[in-house]
Structures are given as structure tokens and as C-alpha cells.
Amino acid sequence: MSQRTPPQKMTLYSSTNCPWAARSLIALAEANVQYETVEIDLDNKPEFFLKEVNPQGKVPTLDYAGEKLIESGPIAEFVADLFPDVGLWPQGSTEETALFKLRARIFVETFITKVVPNWAGILFRADPAAPAAILSAVEGFVEPLLPETSSAGPFFAGRTEFSMAEVLTAPFAARIDLMGRNGIVPADVYEKLQKLPRFGRWMKAVMERKSIKDTFDEASNLAKIKKKMALAQEKKTPPRL
Ligand SMILES: N[C@@H](CCC(=O)N[C@@H](CS)C(=O)NCC(=O)O)C(=O)O
């Protein structure tokens, strides 16, 4: 299917290994829209990026017809609003729609506040307790919010297509899955995650989604994850006598 042209020119300032930027990449891929990407090296930010694009120096930043939009959540919301037919949010102001949005937002908030800090615990603190904490957060908080396995689709609320619930959480789920497949999340923990009936089904479907396959550079992310973990490990090592 040919890509749709946006109403105005779009340029996304992004970084391959950033899960927040991945939210924008996924939303734009779901919308199948044309845009330009500028890869920002976060370890060596170009001067023009800080001066002309985002003085905060953060990705994602979306340039929409000259207006610089920041923050991954609002950027994804903007894409969903600009292309409502994509269905990232259900349309219409019905009670059903309002409840879907509310529940999806609770799901995203739960994922980000309960699971992501433990994922960050592996990455930035080399915390040996973090993988088990991911499992218990998913089991305790995320699993009950996902649809039953008898539902038509594996995605949030039993949908067969992505909604904003996936756009905003999939980058983190994909990175946890990658870490599981590469032994960074230990095999027993990863296996238990995969065997959770709802989450296991959801995560598998997320990884098979075209917008994830097209936007997630596994080799680059894995290398960066290993580098960050090595740095975290070094900091934890007490100085030699
Ligand atoms: N709240 C922001 C977080 C974005 C963020 O922290 N991006 C990181 C990369 S993953 C970044 O740009 N870091 C560069 C810096 O903070 O200097 C969002 O959701 O867009």
C-alpha cells in the first residue's frame, strides 16, 4: 500500500535506540505516512539540533511545518488525531469510546510506572533483582488489564489491530523481549513472561506486528543495551585496593 502524504511536511528527529522515539516511529508506521527522519547521536548532539530544533536536546522531536513538537505521548496523540481513520483511538464521542480511552490510558500508565522502572533497573543500575521485578509487575498489574485469551484479537481490549495502548507501550515490551531472547532477562524469567496467558499472547503479537518489525533495529538496540549495562556494572564495582 502506498504511503499517504501528510497535510504538512513532517520531520522526525529520532534515535534508533530510544524507546520514547520508538513511540513516534510506531505511530507514524501505523499511519503509513510519509515523513523524513533525522538520526540524532545523543552522545554527541549536533549544534543545529540544540539551537534550532530542541534546546532540551531530547528525541523524539517532530517538526510539523516548522513547529517543533516534543514529548512522545503528545506526538503519538497528534498522529492519531491527524489520521483518525487509522483507528489508533476509536472514533466518536460515545460512552464506549470514552471508556476505551480511559482503560487504555490506565493500561499505559500502569505499564510505564510498574514495568518500565524495573526495565531501567537492568539497564542503568545492573540491578540483579530487576528481571524478577519485571515479572512480578507484569503478572500482578499488566496481565489483569489485558484481554482474555478467548478474545478475538490479542491486543488491548481484544482488538486485532494496534491502538494507542500498544503504540505507547510496545517499545518497552519489544526491548524486554529482545533482552529475554538474548539471555539478559534470564531464561526462567523470560519463559514465565511468555507463559503468562494474556501477556504472552500480547507480547508475541506485538513482536509480529509490521510497525514493530519495520521500526525496531534489534542489533543496534542490543549493542546499546549491552553497553549501558556494562557501564552500570562498572559503576557498581568497588574500586580495587
Ligand atoms: N519524556 C520524553 C522522554 C524522551 C527522552 O528521555 N529521550 C531520551 C533518549 S531515550 C533523550 O533524548 N535523551 C537525551 C538527553 O536527555 O539529553 C518523551 O516521552 O519524549
Side-chain angles (χ1 to χ4, degrees), residues 84-135:
D85 59 300
V86 174
L88 291 176
W89 282 131
Q91 295 307 296
S93 23
T94 60
E95 183 198 26
E96 200 187 339
T97 301
L99 279 170
F100 180 97
K101 287 180 147 183
L102 171 68
R103 291 176 185 140
R105 285 176 174 138
I106 291 169
F107 171 75
V108 172
E109 193 71 14
T110 302
F111 203 102
I112 299 302
T113 58
K114 307 286 187 203
V115 179
V116 171
N118 294 309
W119 167 76
I122 302 180
L123 219 56
F124 300 110
R125 296 192 303 278
D127 176 359
I134 292 178
L135 176 63

Side-chain angles (χ1 to χ4, degrees), residues 17 41 43 122-124 184 219-235:
N17 304 315
D41 177 356
D43 295 326
I122 302 180
L123 219 56
F124 300 110
I184 295 171
S220 172
N221 269 277
L222 188 60
K224 189 75 179 185
I225 287 167
K226 286 184 176 165
K227 203 170 155 190
K228 284 203 168 133
M229 286 179 65
L231 276 174
Q233 200 68 57
E234 254 173 49
K235 276 188 215 141

Side-chain angles (χ1 to χ4, degrees), residues 17-21 23 42 45 56-60 70-73:
N17 304 315
C18 171
W20 305 104
R23 288 173 149 189
L42 294 173
K45 293 176 195 165
Q56 289 185 32
K58 286 197 189 277
V59 295
I70 61 166
E71 291 298 332
S72 60

Side-chain angles (χ1 to χ4, degrees), residues 28-189:
L28 291 162
E30 287 289 330
N32 194 26
V33 65
Q34 278 174 1
Y35 66 98
E36 283 178 11
T37 319
V38 178
E39 176 76 11
I40 297 296
D41 177 356
L42 294 173
D43 295 326
N44 190 13
K45 293 176 195 165
E47 212 177 298
F48 84 90
F49 179 61
L50 293 166
K51 278 198 173 146
E52 292 159 35
V53 182
N54 183 351
Q56 289 185 32
K58 286 197 189 277
V59 295
T61 302
L62 181 69
D63 182 324
Y64 186 73
E67 186 171 351
K68 312 296 190 295
L69 309 167
I70 61 166
E71 291 298 332
S72 60
I75 291 172
E77 293 279 354
F78 174 63
V79 174
D81 286 343
L82 208 52
F83 308 105
D85 59 300
V86 174
L88 291 176
W89 282 131
Q91 295 307 296
S93 23
T94 60
E95 183 198 26
E96 200 187 339
T97 301
L99 279 170
F100 180 97
K101 287 180 147 183
L102 171 68
R103 291 176 185 140
R105 285 176 174 138
I106 291 169
F107 171 75
V108 172
E109 193 71 14
T110 302
F111 203 102
I112 299 302
T113 58
K114 307 286 187 203
V115 179
V116 171
N118 294 309
W119 167 76
I122 302 180
L123 219 56
F124 300 110
R125 296 192 303 278
D127 176 359
I134 292 178
L135 176 63
S136 82
V138 170
E139 198 168 14
F141 297 106
V142 175
E143 177 82 356
L145 300 180
L146 283 169
E148 288 181 22
T149 50
S150 58
S151 65
F155 298 125
F156 187 75
R159 286 173 50 139
T160 52
E161 305 291 330
F162 263 21
S163 72
M164 286 294 283
E166 279 78 27
V167 169
L168 299 178
T169 55
F172 300 98
R175 281 157 179 79
I176 290 168
D177 188 75
L178 178 68
M179 286 154 98
R181 277 182 283 126
N182 288 279
I184 295 171
V185 166
D188 60 324
V189 172

